[in-house]
Amino acid sequence: MKHKMPVLTRRDFIRGTIGVTLGAPVFGLLWPKGEARAEARSLVTVVRDKNAMDSAKNIDIAVLEKMLAETLTRVTGQKNTKDAWLSLVKPNDMIGLMPTDHLNPTHDEVVEVVKNSLVDAGIPEDRIRDAQGPRNAKKCDALIAIPGLKAHWLTGIGTVLKNYILYSGSPSSYHKSNSFKLGEIWNLPFVKGKTKLVLVDSLYPLCDKGPQPDPRYQWPYNGFIAGTDPVAVETVCLKVITEKRKAIRGELWPLSPPPICVEAADKLYGLGTSRMDQIKINHYSWEHELLL
Amino acid sequence: VLNSIYYLSHENILDLDLSAEAVSAPYEHIPGSGDPKRSQFLLVQYEKPELARQALNRFHDAYLPEYKKKIPADTAADNPRLFKLEDGWLAYKLIGKYIAIVFECPDLESARTILQKNESNLLGKGEDHET
């Protein structure tokens, strides 16, 4: 039986040879961009507050604002929120906010707090828009990815990398075994280089895949997981989901389909690092069930 | 379904279809290995020995492309094939219409033992060992 695509196996992930197996010419991409910055360490900031949500899942906006401010200054190393935003975006940028609207949607409160924070930093309100949708990134100079933390029945994890799937114009081409290609969307000409911050809404994650959110697999994590390296952020998100699943079952409970997009985004598409030993996790505040 | 238990490939490299049945089990704390890592055992039953042989061929081509293939038509009396890979030892054996594979063993001996024990159990349960 002839196969059009080379066979990608578990061994390619272990060896880090996904790109070699698939072949860079298949996608017309340079391989391996990931190797060039293999020595760099990516910073991922985890900020949690047990008071972010009450038992009825009502969000405390004031706590959320504090968490965002903490996140921004920690991610950028700047002294205050305004300087932090201005180190990421320019005041005249058209800024696209990229929340997720499916399965475990980004909380509206999170989007609102981000928007208000940008305005407070001096970004005109009319320069901030919702960038979710097939062509919306084309009109933006900068993107702030704000996905909800979740596993996904079509891609294993459906948080950071999958957040841009509508930009592909062909979402179903990136499902199941083809989900390893999600990273290529981030390299589309109208997307590449525009993402200035990835801020994952981890207030109430979903650790099993759906297609409908099952409340048995949602829990209050009350956090933001953030950074400028999308793959590193996704890797940390995956760790949280994996550890939660393990805690629920008492043994390893692998995601299905496997989240092959994460390592492929690193090794094949050079978007960042998927190696935990190259990720520095800075965690602040609430320690309970950190899962990292 | 197999990939949700133990990811092997995005392709169906074991030719699994509705006529095949499989069981998989982890082995933990293998005595004497001193290695806490778990190994994964997989046993697949195909409809016919020929289908099992073809599937093992496909698995070998996809998963072990750098190793020369040597899968005889009947391996009833043959030793398992063992390979030192990146994540430990892999061993497989064709047993009539069954394929037995063990992944991530800490050493050659434990890989061999896991296959042998499972083969003994299988044959002891009256497997019609077709030749």
Side-chain angles (χ1 to χ4, degrees):
Chain A
M1 188 177 170
K2 294 265 182 193
H3 293 268
K4 287 177 187 172
M5 289 284 290
V7 177
L8 188 69
T9 72
R10 178 186 197 88
R11 293 183 66 201
D12 291 299
F13 288 93
I14 294 164
R15 291 182 298 200
T17 53
I18 301 166
V20 172
T21 300
L22 295 174
V26 174
F27 303 108
L29 291 166
L30 294 173
W31 157 259
K33 292 176 188 170
E35 294 297 311
R37 27 132 291 275
E39 292 307 310
R41 276 167 72 84
S42 290
L43 173 68
V44 175
T45 299
V46 182
V47 174
R48 301 172 71 211
D49 193 313
K50 66 178 179 182
N51 298 315
M53 275 192 319
D54 64 18
S55 57
K57 299 192 284 290
N58 297 308
I59 292 172
D60 186 324
I61 296 290
V63 174
L64 214 57
E65 286 170 345
K66 270 193 219 167
M67 286 168 60
L68 178 62
E70 181 86 32
T71 300
L72 286 165
T73 52
R74 298 288 182 179
V75 167
T76 62
Q78 300 293 321
K79 286 180 187 161
N80 56 56
T81 308
K82 182 178 179 180
D83 289 348
W85 277 125
L86 294 178
S87 72
L88 296 169
V89 299
K90 299 185 193 79
N92 58 344
D93 277 347
M94 180 59 79
I95 298 168
L97 303 185
M98 279 293 288
T100 311
D101 48 9
H102 285 104
L103 193 53
N104 189 29
T106 308
H107 290 88
D108 291 340
E109 294 89 339
V110 173
V111 180
E112 206 53 34
V113 163
V114 170
K115 190 176 174 184
N116 291 341
S117 178
L118 280 162
V119 171
D120 289 346
I123 309 295
E125 199 168 350
D126 62 0
R127 304 295 292 171
I128 305 166
R129 60 193 306 162
D130 181 1
Q132 191 58 270
R135 293 183 183 83
N136 290 352
K138 290 184 178 171
K139 301 162 190 160
C140 298
D141 305 302
L143 296 171
I144 310 296
I146 323 173
L149 177 53
K150 60 182 180 291
H152 198 284
W153 63 300
L154 295 169
T155 55
I157 187 166
T159 306
V160 181
L161 295 160
K162 188 178 174 294
N163 194 33
Y164 287 1
I165 198 166
L166 292 182
Y167 290 161
S168 70
S170 175
S172 59
S173 309
Y174 295 88
H175 290 160
K176 297 188 176 172
S177 59
N178 284 325
S179 62
F180 75 89
K181 295 192 298 178
L182 280 168
E184 77 178 3
I185 301 168
W186 290 63
N187 280 332
L188 290 172
F190 64 95
V191 179
K192 191 173 181 177
K194 287 186 179 177
T195 305
K196 305 303 177 187
L197 177 70
V198 177
L199 177 76
V200 177
D201 171 354
S202 313
L203 293 173
Y204 200 61
L206 173 68
C207 72
D208 199 33
K209 53 194 177 179
Q212 299 301 321
D214 185 334
R216 290 176 301 171
Y217 304 122
Q218 290 186 286
W219 80 104
Y221 190 73
N222 289 11
F224 282 143
I225 300 175
T228 55
D229 174 340
V231 187
V233 175
E234 185 88 302
T235 301
V236 172
C237 289
L238 183 57
K239 172 83 173 161
V240 170
I241 285 178
T242 303
E243 290 301 317
K244 184 63 184 179
R245 289 166 67 86
K246 208 158 130 186
I248 289 172
R249 284 280 173 94
E251 62 178 357
L252 193 65
W253 179 22
L255 285 164
S256 174
I260 51 179
C261 58
V262 185
E263 193 173 348
D266 172 354
K267 300 294 191 320
L268 185 58
Y269 300 106
L271 296 174
T273 184
S274 62
R275 285 180 50 175
M276 283 299 269
D277 62 353
Q278 290 176 358
I279 299 171
K280 182 171 170 23
I281 301 173
N282 278 348
H283 165 248
Y284 303 96
S285 197
W286 198 33
E287 294 283 343
H288 173 73
E289 213 180 23
L290 180 61
L291 304 170
L292 290 170
Chain B
V1 174
L2 174 60
N3 275 346
S4 70
I5 299 166
Y6 190 76
Y7 175 74
L8 275 186
S9 171
H10 68 297
E11 293 275 351
N12 182 10
I13 62 173
L14 277 164
D15 287 344
L16 298 174
D17 61 20
L18 292 176
S19 70
E21 291 184 37
V23 290
S24 178
Y27 277 77
E28 290 175 333
H29 311 299
I30 295 168
S33 75
D35 188 338
K37 201 158 79 77
R38 61 197 253 164
S39 305
Q40 193 74 27
F41 174 73
L42 174 68
L43 182 72
V44 188
Q45 176 189 273
Y46 294 86
E47 232 179 348
K48 299 172 190 169
E50 178 55 18
L51 293 177
R53 194 186 61 77
Q54 283 171 11
L56 191 53
N57 267 312
R58 173 143 166 69
F59 171 77
H60 184 112
D61 288 343
Y63 207 77
L64 304 158
E66 72 271 43
Y67 292 96
K68 195 178 170 188
K69 197 162 45 181
K70 194 180 69 181
I71 304 171
D74 167 38
T75 55
D78 285 309
N79 291 322
R81 292 211 65 196
L82 298 117
F83 307 88
K84 176 82 173 79
L85 303 183
E86 301 79 7
D87 56 353
W89 284 85
L90 179 150
Y92 68 62
K93 188 167 184 187
L94 180 65
I95 312 163
K97 61 182 180 182
Y98 294 88
I99 294 175
I101 312 175
V102 62
F103 299 89
E104 295 185 57
C105 283
D107 52 57
L108 186 145
E109 208 42 54
S110 57
R112 198 193 305 273
T113 304
I114 289 170
L115 280 195
Q116 277 172 352
K117 284 192 174 174
N118 279 283
E119 184 180 8
S120 301
N121 290 341
L122 189 66
L123 297 176
K125 287 190 193 319
E127 151 61 1
D128 54 338
H129 197 227
E130 299 175 52
T131 54

